[in-house]
Amino acid sequence: MLRTIRAFWQDQRGVALILVSITLPAIIGFSLLAIDMSRANNLHNDLQKGADSFSLSAAAELDGRSDSITRADRALSTLVFNKYNFSTGGTGPQDLLAAGVTRRYLRSIPATDNLPITAANVITDEVAGAAQARFVEVTVTPVGFAAIFPVSFLSSNANGSFNIGAVSVAGFTSSVCDFTPVFICNPYENDPNGHTLEEAVANPALHRRQIELRKVGNGAAAGPGNFGFLQPPDGVGNGAQALAETIATSKPVGCYSADGVDTKTGQNAGPVQDAFNVRFGIRASGHFNTPLYGPAVNVRKGASTGGGGNGNGNGGGGGQCPQYNQLTFNGAGNMGLPRDQAWSGRIGDGNWNFSTYWSTNFGSASYPSSWNTTKPTRYEVYRYEISAGLVGTASVGGESGTPPNSCQPPVTSVDRRLIFGAILNCEALDETNDLSGHSTGLPVEAFGSFFLTEPVSSPSDDASVMVELVDITGRGGQGTLDNFLRDEAQLYR
């Protein structure tokens, strides 16, 4: 008997079953916890992906236009399909909130992610403030999660259900590439008549107004109708000549963000005058001697040379590629695009002598009949001369718009009579920034294109650059700058 008891006591067969029986509840419990954690994590990831998709689709519409919030809400409701299975939430635009998605539009976000979004960041009036909306915060309403693990086993008051949600903040960023490193002070900032950039692009009476640009610094203050230089891209080099090359080239390489641009310390203006004038078939003094710096296909400017040929070197036996001081303007039957007849500060009234310009240069050649009712912009006339094959037509004085044979060949890939610039609200910025020096992170009102109506007459800092506003990016734009734009929505939180 004693031997039997001793043998049973020492027998270890089946001990694993006892150990498993003891630890089985813990194994099952940890397994259920792992499953619950995986389910909760997957649910949160799915909700976060949904919130990110919603915020990105809405942010892509925040382009600064007055209907941007309307379009962003439409994107939330239609561009990304949202549905809670096994729930009563709807999916249509009217069911946006019922479908478990709420949103707030923001004019700004805190500098760091650890700072909360406050009322100061939020657009409260979504109609009047739509143009200021730059970010959207999307919240996916927390949904109930029921754990498998029997938490009531731990405590009778414990509840195995809790909510899981997601929040995402996305914003709209805009930049341009292949742009000249120039900024232009918004000519319609604090306009006494209440006109805006958008109106200036859309309203023909404002669109044809001429603008006189002066260089910010020694020649002019940082106010409407003046210009300065942006920091060229890395690798371009320093100094006036390097800056002028980035302005003169037909293939600029700089990219600039609407979130902020940096200005460059003022430079000697001499090479910069040449950088503008090579576009008119005017030879620089030893600079810009490659095809990258060729003229526009239409360089009519109302000029003749002292040797009897026209200002383009195509009359009087061919001539040479002229320098500016070898030209005589608007004499002996030659006429460039006239200036506006009346001015208010740096902005003309849009009333320019189209009929005399046309008869001097093209005689009885036809033009669009609509121009008899609504006077065209100078840029429209310039483009029509090209499309109608009138560039080679000689004026009364013998000038044509054909570039000089002895200069670089004309550039056909881009319009060389256009310059591009970041439009800044200089009056507001000048209160805290030195726009003639090196200031960083200056917000851009819009990027714009400007038509050079005539050559720059002087290398001095107070020389005038005469232009017409052609188009702007963003709200009110006509889309002609889309090839330069790099618009994208991105996640911030």
Side-chain angles (χ1 to χ4, degrees):
M1 183 68 180
L2 184 60
R3 180 181 301 172
T4 302
I5 294 174
R6 184 181 299 111
F8 177 79
W9 181 258
Q10 294 177 348
D11 192 348
Q12 297 183 8
R13 290 176 298 176
V15 69
L17 179 62
I18 299 174
L19 294 176
V20 168
S21 299
I22 296 174
T23 60
L24 186 59
I27 294 174
I28 295 175
F30 279 117
S31 299
L32 293 178
L33 281 176
I35 293 172
D36 283 341
M37 291 177 62
S38 176
R39 291 175 59 230
N41 185 63
N42 289 339
L43 176 59
H44 179 266
N45 285 342
D46 289 343
L47 292 177
Q48 188 63 55
K49 289 177 181 178
D52 290 346
S53 297
F54 277 116
S55 63
L56 286 171
S57 64
E61 304 297 331
L62 301 181
D63 54 4
R65 298 181 181 179
S66 59
D67 64 341
S68 60
I69 287 181
T70 300
R71 287 184 282 110
D73 279 347
R74 187 181 305 125
L76 280 172
S77 300
T78 61
L79 292 184
V80 180
F81 185 75
N82 181 57
K83 183 178 181 181
Y84 283 151
N85 289 323
F86 311 109
S87 79
T88 58
T91 59
Q94 72 279 6
D95 298 317
L96 179 64
L97 299 182
V101 177
T102 59
R103 88 288 187 274
R104 293 192 298 178
Y105 292 99
L106 315 173
R107 60 171 51 87
S108 61
I109 57 175
T112 57
D113 290 349
N114 62 313
L115 297 176
I117 293 173
T118 66
N121 303 118
V122 179
I123 300 289
T124 54
D125 188 339
E126 294 185 354
V127 176
Q132 283 73 50
R134 291 293 179 268
F135 305 91
V136 60
E137 178 192 54
V138 172
T139 300
V140 175
T141 304
V143 295
F145 176 84
I148 300 175
F149 184 82
V151 293
S152 58
F153 173 78
L154 303 176
S155 171
S156 59
N157 297 323
N159 189 340
S161 298
F162 54 93
N163 292 328
I164 297 178
V167 178
S168 177
V169 176
F172 181 86
T173 61
S174 179
S175 61
V176 292
C177 289
D178 305 329
F179 234 60
T180 44
V182 173
F183 75 83
I184 294 171
C185 295
N186 184 356
Y188 293 95
E189 181 185 13
N190 301 322
D191 183 78
N193 298 311
H195 297 312
T196 64
L197 277 173
E198 295 81 2
E199 290 181 78
V201 171
N203 185 343
L206 300 178
H207 200 189
R208 61 174 178 263
R209 289 184 173 185
Q210 201 171 26
I211 304 171
E212 179 185 10
L213 304 179
R214 294 282 186 89
K215 181 186 168 193
V216 171
N218 296 331
N226 294 323
F227 78 100
F229 307 119
L230 299 178
Q231 185 68 33
D234 294 340
V236 169
N238 295 314
Q241 181 59 34
L243 175 63
E245 289 175 357
T246 63
I247 296 173
T249 182
S250 58
K251 292 184 178 180
V253 295
C255 289
Y256 300 96
S257 171
D259 293 337
V261 293
D262 301 342
T263 58
K264 183 174 177 60
T265 303
Q267 298 286 341
N268 178 281
V272 175
Q273 179 203 24
D274 291 340
F276 288 124
N277 285 353
V278 293
R279 302 161 184 264
F280 289 89
I282 298 175
R283 179 166 60 90
S285 302
H287 307 302
F288 318 130
N289 293 325
T290 73
L292 286 177
Y293 307 105
V297 295
N298 184 0
V299 298
R300 192 181 300 273
K301 49 191 173 289
S304 59
T305 62
N310 70 28
N312 301 335
N314 294 321
Q320 298 295 318
C321 182
Q323 296 188 59
Y324 188 88
N325 59 11
Q326 297 172 329
L327 298 173
T328 300
F329 287 86
N330 297 332
N334 296 316
M335 187 177 189
L337 290 165
R339 294 187 179 184
D340 284 351
Q341 296 181 11
W343 291 77
S344 175
R346 297 289 171 79
I347 302 181
D349 64 352
N351 184 20
W352 64 284
N353 194 343
F354 163 70
S355 59
T356 302
Y357 170 81
W358 191 265
S359 61
T360 299
N361 291 292
F362 307 109
S364 60
S366 63
Y367 56 80
S369 59
S370 60
W371 292 358
N372 292 320
T373 304
T374 302
K375 184 175 294 185
T377 66
R378 296 166 185 81
Y379 185 62
E380 287 174 320
V381 175
Y382 159 82
R383 294 301 304 174
Y384 181 78
E385 292 174 22
I386 297 173
S387 63
L390 297 174
V391 173
T393 301
S395 67
V396 174
E399 182 199 25
S400 77
T402 306
N405 293 329
S406 51
C407 291
Q408 295 296 332
V411 175
T412 59
S413 57
V414 295
D415 193 336
R416 292 284 281 153
R417 291 280 292 273
L418 292 180
I419 61 172
F420 306 94
I423 302 176
L424 309 183
N425 288 325
C426 294
E427 288 187 331
L429 293 172
D430 195 44
E431 297 179 2
T432 54
N433 298 274
D434 176 15
L435 298 185
S436 65
H438 181 62
S439 293
T440 60
L442 304 179
V444 177
E445 179 68 12
F447 293 98
S449 56
F450 297 82
F451 173 59
L452 287 168
T453 62
E454 62 185 62
V456 180
S457 61
S458 170
S460 65
D461 274 348
D462 60 353
S464 296
V465 181
M466 309 302 294
V467 301
E468 273 185 350
L469 174 63
V470 176
D471 200 4
I472 59 173
T473 57
R475 58 189 186 277
Q478 305 300 303
T480 62
L481 297 175
D482 288 352
N483 288 340
F484 298 93
L485 279 172
R486 303 292 187 272
D487 288 344
E488 60 181 48
Q490 68 179 54
L491 294 173
Y492 287 87
R493 292 190 172 196

